Amino acid sequence: MTHLNFEQLAFTASIWVLPVLLAVTFHEAAHGFVAWKLGDDTAKRLGRVTFDPLKHVDPVGTVILPVMLLLASGGKMMFGYAKPVPVNFGRLHKPRRDMVLVALAGPGANIVLAVLFGLGLLAIKAGAGTHMSPDTVEWSARNLVNGIWLNLILAVFNMLPVPPLDGGRVAVGILPNVLAIPMARMERAGMLMILLGIFVLPYIGDQIGVDLNVFWWLVGEPASLLMNFLFTALGLS
């Protein structure tokens, strides 16, 4: 690897690492905070209602997977997840309703963070970074853009109605028992389905010349539309 390639890789990593850490940290902390306020202090007692990323880092989801995706995509994409916040749904005031609220808290936090990053980008565009060097302005702007993208990706991805994702928990909470109970039992199979959709189907599609990038269809496209909407609303497009 040449010195230039190392510098490029280091720069690419530097504009993705902070957005990933903030996105997954706020997501998990929001779950724990809402659960605590609704009666379950499990996450609070374990120190998980915090913005300290070290409390939420998962070696595979927060480190290995993002790095692999970063390298595999040539620095165009990074995605990760944190250690899930433990929630004892039986301790919630109204378990079925509150399970939905706890599940929505994570994607909701990502949407809020995306908007805040957008406002930060707007401030830089309006001249807030005039006291910074051009390189620092570019680095900050790239972090903010990546932060918007990652938070929208996380929000959309987690709202897919597949257990154990947040959208699956929302579906279990609002569906009648005849549908909710079988869906709740799908958690292990659901994770397998997710992994197949993200990694295996696109690989098979590449081998047979067919676009099977289900992740992009279900997550990338909606997130892209949301990003365009946010940029338009803030006058950034």
Side-chain angles (χ1 to χ4, degrees), residues 70-209:
L70 179 67
L71 294 175
S73 66
K76 296 179 181 179
M77 177 64 182
M78 182 186 278
F79 178 73
Y81 58 87
K83 290 188 295 186
V85 164
V87 178
N88 184 344
F89 295 108
R91 300 187 64 184
L92 297 171
H93 298 315
K94 296 182 178 180
R96 190 149 187 172
R97 182 207 66 181
D98 294 348
M99 176 176 67
V100 171
L101 298 177
V102 171
L104 289 173
N110 290 129
I111 294 293
V112 170
L113 202 53
V115 173
L116 291 177
F117 282 151
L119 292 174
L121 192 60
L122 183 63
I124 287 180
K125 185 177 180 181
T130 53
H131 62 288
M132 299 187 293
S133 69
D135 287 343
T136 303
V137 170
E138 180 188 1
W139 182 84
S140 300
R142 294 282 292 275
N143 266 279
L144 291 167
V145 170
N146 289 343
I148 295 169
W149 177 240
L150 277 170
N151 276 282
L152 293 177
I153 284 283
L154 269 179
V156 175
F157 173 69
N158 276 284
M159 284 309 298
L160 293 177
V162 180
L165 299 180
D166 298 323
R169 298 194 187 281
V170 171
V172 169
I174 63 177
L175 288 173
N177 286 337
V178 67
L179 297 175
I181 293 174
M183 177 170 276
R185 292 172 179 163
M186 283 178 54
E187 290 219 358
R188 291 185 181 179
M191 183 55 69
L192 179 60
M193 290 168 55
I194 292 165
L195 294 175
L196 288 173
I198 293 177
F199 298 107
V200 179
L201 284 181
Y203 175 78
I204 293 174
D206 287 341
Q207 303 306 306
I208 63 176

Side-chain angles (χ1 to χ4, degrees), residues 118 121 144-145 148 226-237:
L121 192 60
L144 291 167
V145 170
I148 295 169
L226 285 174
M227 190 166 183
N228 290 335
F229 174 80
L230 179 60
F231 271 47
T232 300
L234 295 176
L236 292 168
S237 56

